[in-house]
C-alpha cells in the first residue's frame, strides 16, 4: 500500500531516493537519482479551514490520501520513462512541523482535525502553564512555550474533544506531529480494521510505526534536546 511498486520487472537501475513534503498548503513527492537530479515529481494542494478567528485546521486523513495518490502518480511517471519505481531505496518525510494530530491506534483514523502550527487557540493554555515551568525550560526544550509548539495543541485536543479523551482513557490515543501520522499510515499493516480507497484499492491504517525524529520532536516543547528524549 505504501511502497513504490512496479507491475512488471524492469532492467536494473541504480537506486533512487524519494521525498515527501507535506507542507502547510500542499503535498509534494519527489524522486531523485544518485546524482541529485529530479527524475519524477507530483504535487497537489490541500485546504485549511478556519472555523473560528485564529483557528487553522486541516484533514490529516485527506493529507495521507493525497500523499498515497502522489506516490502512485510518481511511480507511474517513473515507469513511463523506463525507470523502476521499486528501485526507490528510501523515503524521507518533511512536514509542517508544529502542527498536531491525534489518532486512534485501533482504526488509524484521526480523532479530531489537525491543528495547524499557526493556530492560536492555545493562548489560554500557554498563560495557564507559563508560571508552572521550570527556569531551565527553554534550555531543555529549545523553545519557549508559545502557541506554536505542539504541546499546547495536544492539551487543547485532550480537553475539548471527547473522542480524544475517550481514546486516551482507553490507551488508544496516539499523538504526534504530521510526520508521525504519515509514518504510521505508510507503515500500516493490512488487517481490515480500518479502510479507505485509493485509486480503487483498499488501504488500511493500523499497526503502523509510531515515531518521529529530533528535528520534529524539538518543535513540540516535549523533547529534551540535550538528552534526546
Amino acid at each position: 500500500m505504501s511502497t513504490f511498486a512496479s507491475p512488471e520487472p524492469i532492467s536494473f537501475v541504480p537506486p533512487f531516493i524519494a521525498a515527501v513534503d507535506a507542507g502547510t498548503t500542499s503535498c509534494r513527492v519527489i524522486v531523485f537519482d544518485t546524482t541529485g537530479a529530479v527524475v519524477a515529481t507530483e504535487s497537489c494542494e490541500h485546504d485549511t479551514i478556519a472555523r473560528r478567528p485564529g483557528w487553522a485546521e486541516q484533514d490529516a486523513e485527506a493529507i495521507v490520501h493525497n500523499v498515497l495518490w502522489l506516490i502512485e502518480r510518481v511511480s507511474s511517471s517513473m515507469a513511463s520513462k523506463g525507470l523502476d519505481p521499486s528501485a526507490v531505496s528510501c523515503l524521507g518525510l518533511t512536514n509542517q512541523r508544529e502542527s498536531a494530530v491525534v489518532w486512534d491506534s485501533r482504526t488509524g483514523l484521526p480523532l479530531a482535525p489537525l491543528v495547524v502550527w499557526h493556530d492560536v487557540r492555545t493562548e489560554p493554555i500557554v498563560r495557564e502553564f507559563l508560571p508552572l515551568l521550570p527556569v531551565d525550560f527553554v534550555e531543555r526544550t529549545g523553545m519557549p512555550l508559545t502557541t506554536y509548539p505542539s504541546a499546547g495543541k495536544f492539551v487543547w485536543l485532550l480537553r475539548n474533544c471527547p473522542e480524544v479523551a475517550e481514546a486516551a482513557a482507553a490507551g488508544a490515543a496516539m499523538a504526534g506531529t504530521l510526520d508521525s501520522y504519515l509514518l504510521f499510515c505508510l507503515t500500516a499493516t493490512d488487517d481490515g480494521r480500518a479502510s479507505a480507497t485509493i485509486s480503487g484499492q483498499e488501504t488500511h491504517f493500523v499497526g503502523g510505526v509510531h515515531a518521529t525524529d529530533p528535528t520534529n520532536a524539538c518543535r513540540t516543547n516535549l523533547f529534551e534536546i540535550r538528552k534526546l528524549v
Side-chain angles (χ1 to χ4, degrees), residues 35-54:
T35 72
V38 174
V39 299
T41 180
E42 295 284 348
S43 66
C44 65
E45 296 182 352
H46 49 253
D47 296 326
T48 298
I49 300 170
R51 290 191 292 150
R52 298 184 185 180

Side-chain angles (χ1 to χ4, degrees), residues 26-29 41-45 69-70 73-74:
S26 66
C27 292
R28 183 180 303 273
V29 175
T41 180
E42 295 284 348
S43 66
C44 65
E45 296 182 352
W69 178 71
L70 291 173
R73 292 285 300 268
V74 165

Side-chain angles (χ1 to χ4, degrees), residues 45-198:
E45 296 182 352
H46 49 253
D47 296 326
T48 298
I49 300 170
R51 290 191 292 150
R52 298 184 185 180
W55 287 26
E57 299 176 340
Q58 294 177 353
D59 184 338
E61 185 185 5
I63 291 175
V64 171
H65 288 195
N66 286 346
V67 168
L68 293 173
W69 178 71
L70 291 173
I71 289 174
E72 290 186 349
R73 292 285 300 268
V74 165
S75 297
S76 298
S77 176
M78 291 179 68
S80 70
K81 299 173 184 177
L83 304 174
D84 185 356
S86 67
V88 172
S89 59
C90 61
L91 183 147
L93 297 174
T94 183
N95 69 118
Q96 42 181 287
R97 308 270 277 184
E98 296 93 345
S99 299
V101 59
V102 180
W103 66 97
D104 194 319
S105 63
R106 299 164 295 189
T107 66
L109 299 176
L111 292 163
L114 173 82
V115 182
V116 183
W117 58 273
H118 55 82
D119 185 295
V120 296
R121 73 183 71 183
T122 60
E123 284 182 343
I125 293 172
V126 171
R127 290 195 297 270
E128 174 188 347
F129 279 91
L130 273 175
L132 308 177
L133 299 179
V135 295
D136 61 347
F137 180 80
V138 174
E139 180 182 353
R140 289 167 61 183
T141 68
M143 292 182 69
L145 179 62
T146 67
T147 59
Y148 283 101
S150 312
K153 297 174 174 63
F154 294 139
V155 173
W156 190 94
L157 289 167
L158 189 61
R159 290 179 175 178
N160 293 276
C161 299
E163 296 85 356
V164 173
E166 291 168 6
M174 287 186 166
T177 44
L178 182 56
D179 66 298
S180 292
Y181 185 54
L182 284 169
L183 179 64
F184 181 86
C185 294
L186 291 171
T187 57
T189 57
D190 183 352
D191 70 358
R193 281 184 288 170
S195 65
T197 300
I198 308 295

